[in-house]
Amino acid sequence: MDIIGWFVLYLLTALLETICGAREPELYCSACQILVDEVSWAVSQTDPKKTVQIGSFRVDSHGNQKTYEVPYARSEIHLTELLENVCSGMNQYAQSTDEKTGKKKFIRTSSRNNEPIELKNIVLSGDTQKKLRFLCESLVEDHEEDIISLYAKSQDDMERKLCVDVAKVCTEEDMQEQTAGDTVPPQNDEL
């Protein structure tokens, strides 16, 4: 192979790694956490009184149908619709590097409730948003049935269940770092 062939191979490899995030496993974890956050938020915004009938619509010999109602927010129909569109909202995120650990992650650049957001050490580019969208779509494609199943059954600790247990893109350490950053240190009442 001549020098031009090696150069083209290098460029293609670099492009693939950039798009896929192959050298940045923490970005897969961050993308999974964002996916969980976006789906959870969308589910929480759905009217809790809204229901949908599921079950068999066949009529038995007594003229009855075996149907029952479930909350629409956690129904397979609604969750499937959410997963079809959730990754299109990834243009509201940027890549950030933690000052202490040096780990990269994606952060939201606009608030859902119009409150100001402090942004530090961010890279806001179309490439970053394309990378996040690709990672999101990959997670949805690979784990759609698991995501629907988890959301239909549970409401607790979805990040850990999906990102650590199912998709295996995060570690327990990643979850502890996330939790440690979100908690308020205990107050010492001693004088």
Side-chain angles (χ1 to χ4, degrees):
M1 196 183 278
D2 63 354
I3 189 117
I4 295 174
W6 283 109
F7 183 70
V8 170
L9 182 61
Y10 172 76
L11 285 177
L12 289 174
T13 304
L15 179 64
L16 183 62
E17 287 176 353
T18 300
I19 292 173
C20 299
R23 291 192 178 178
E24 300 170 306
E26 64 263 16
L27 292 181
Y28 277 103
C29 179
S30 183
C32 186
Q33 291 169 329
I34 288 171
L35 174 63
V36 169
D37 180 60
E38 290 292 326
V39 173
S40 296
W41 183 80
V43 166
S44 74
Q45 297 303 300
T46 305
D47 182 4
K49 296 175 185 173
K50 192 173 181 180
T51 60
V52 63
Q53 282 189 346
I54 63 169
S56 174
F57 289 96
R58 291 183 151 181
V59 178
D60 66 13
S61 61
H62 302 289
N64 300 319
Q65 292 179 327
K66 294 181 182 179
T67 62
Y68 53 98
E69 291 187 355
V70 295
Y72 177 72
R74 294 192 175 272
S75 68
E76 185 175 347
I77 295 166
H78 183 241
L79 293 170
T80 301
E81 289 174 1
L82 282 178
L83 292 177
E84 286 177 7
N85 300 313
V86 70
C87 298
S88 63
M90 297 301 140
N91 59 348
Q92 298 175 7
Y93 288 86
Q95 184 175 312
S96 175
T97 304
D98 187 292
E99 293 175 344
K100 295 177 185 174
T101 64
K103 283 191 168 186
K104 295 178 182 178
K105 64 180 182 177
F106 295 108
I107 60 169
R108 193 165 187 64
T109 58
S110 61
S111 167
R112 290 184 179 124
N113 57 4
N114 296 325
E115 290 183 10
I117 294 179
E118 183 178 330
L119 301 173
K120 290 184 180 180
N121 298 329
I122 66 164
V123 176
L124 185 60
S125 73
D127 290 340
T128 299
Q129 294 165 346
K130 287 177 187 175
K131 184 189 303 183
L132 176 56
R133 185 173 180 157
F134 175 80
L135 295 173
C136 177
E137 289 171 349
S138 296
L139 286 165
V140 170
E141 183 178 326
D142 293 343
H143 304 288
E144 183 173 8
E145 291 177 14
D146 295 321
I147 295 168
I148 291 171
S149 175
L150 285 172
Y151 273 94
K153 295 176 187 172
S154 177
Q155 297 178 14
D156 300 329
D157 207 9
M158 294 304 288
E159 275 187 16
R160 180 169 276 106
K161 288 177 184 175
L162 179 62
C163 302
V164 175
D165 299 337
V166 175
K168 298 182 184 343
V169 294
C170 295
T171 63
E172 285 294 331
E173 183 180 291
D174 295 327
M175 294 293 111
Q176 290 171 355
E177 288 174 7
Q178 177 78 16
T179 305
D182 294 342
T183 57
V184 176
Q187 297 291 327
N188 188 350
D189 292 337
E190 296 178 18
L191 295 176

